Amino acid sequence: MNHAAAGPARPRGVVFDLDGTLLDTWRIHEHCLREAVRDLSGSQVGKVRLWRAQRPTDLATLGELVGAEHAQEALLAYRAALARELTVRLPPPVRGVEAALAGLRSRGVPVGICTGRSREDAQTLLTAARLDVPLIVARQDAPPKPSPVALLLALQHLSLARQDALFVGDSEWDRSQGSAAGVRTLIVGRAGLPAELAAARWPLGTGPAAAADDPSGNPIP
């Protein structure tokens, strides 16, 4: 049964991915990964290796770079680097995000976040960007993407049926997670969030595996 085939005239709730969907965090993430690796091993890591090391969670990505046995230690180094970096550079919201969140809020449409980051780091980034999204389903809460569990958990917290919800992401992991959950899914690209979201309307092309024409290729889950 395709749970995303039917639904209301407007989404009754929206769940967002964080990195690359709400916030443009790649440069900050890249810098912090490099700092964490350097702190643990003294070595430098290039762009290609960083890109290839990306996994559905922050901890798994660090494990790819320094070894699973050192991942927790690397996460502490990453967080220290993130705290330093946010004193000099803030994560900019993706284009259209502030209008979308304000429009959804004004219409009483609940929103949440489903991310592969830890809850602490997700909240740190949101606070730095001055975005207020109270519900965060994070790495600690469920198996990683593309498992649908975290997304379905977000819907449960928001009291949403899957056919009433929209999931917005920017990666293949997000596309697979939305499809597995049976939730209408929009994959956004460099153009940012579509204007329909600010009016709480289904964006054009939204579907169980819909994609924007200009995918960003952002590897952060």
Side-chain angles (χ1 to χ4, degrees):
M1 178 177 179
N2 186 351
H3 296 277
R10 294 172 180 264
R12 293 178 179 157
V14 182
V15 178
F16 295 93
D17 170 56
L18 178 60
D19 296 274
T21 302
L22 291 180
L23 297 177
D24 183 0
T25 55
W26 173 247
R27 288 186 180 180
I28 292 174
H29 182 58
E30 183 181 35
H31 171 80
C32 294
L33 288 174
R34 283 201 173 99
E35 289 290 294
V37 172
R38 188 180 65 179
D39 285 355
L40 262 69
S41 66
S43 62
Q44 300 291 330
V45 57
K47 283 182 177 291
V48 173
R49 186 180 173 206
L50 283 177
W51 189 273
R52 291 177 176 172
Q54 296 305 307
R55 294 296 182 270
T57 70
D58 50 5
L59 195 62
T61 296
L62 288 163
E64 285 293 314
L65 291 168
V66 301
E69 67 276 18
H70 301 298
Q72 287 287 353
E73 185 180 359
L75 184 60
L76 294 177
Y78 179 100
R79 286 178 175 165
L82 180 61
R84 293 192 299 269
E85 186 68 2
L86 290 178
T87 65
V88 296
R89 174 165 51 181
L90 299 180
V94 170
R95 185 182 305 171
V97 162
E98 290 161 314
L101 291 178
L104 292 167
R105 188 178 298 114
S106 71
R107 290 166 173 81
V109 177
V111 299
I113 288 173
C114 183
T115 178
R117 282 189 183 271
S118 69
R119 181 177 292 98
E120 295 82 357
D121 291 348
Q123 188 60 65
T124 294
L125 289 165
L126 288 168
T127 300
R130 298 182 179 179
L131 293 184
D132 181 21
V133 182
L135 174 66
I136 301 172
V137 176
R139 165 173 52 79
Q140 302 99 315
D141 300 316
K145 301 173 184 179
S147 166
V149 174
L151 180 52
L152 293 174
L153 183 60
L155 299 189
Q156 180 180 337
H157 282 303
L158 296 173
S159 299
L160 288 170
R162 66 183 94 190
Q163 67 269 19
D164 297 340
L166 173 65
F167 178 47
V168 184
D170 72 311
S171 71
E172 287 301 316
W173 285 312
D174 295 326
R175 187 200 309 276
S176 297
Q177 183 181 47
S179 179
V183 175
R184 299 189 192 200
T185 301
L186 181 72
I187 302 299
V188 298
R190 295 185 183 91
L193 301 190
E196 292 96 331
L197 277 179
R201 299 196 304 267
W202 295 112
L204 293 176
T206 300
D213 291 333
D214 185 21
S216 67
N218 192 323
I220 312 176

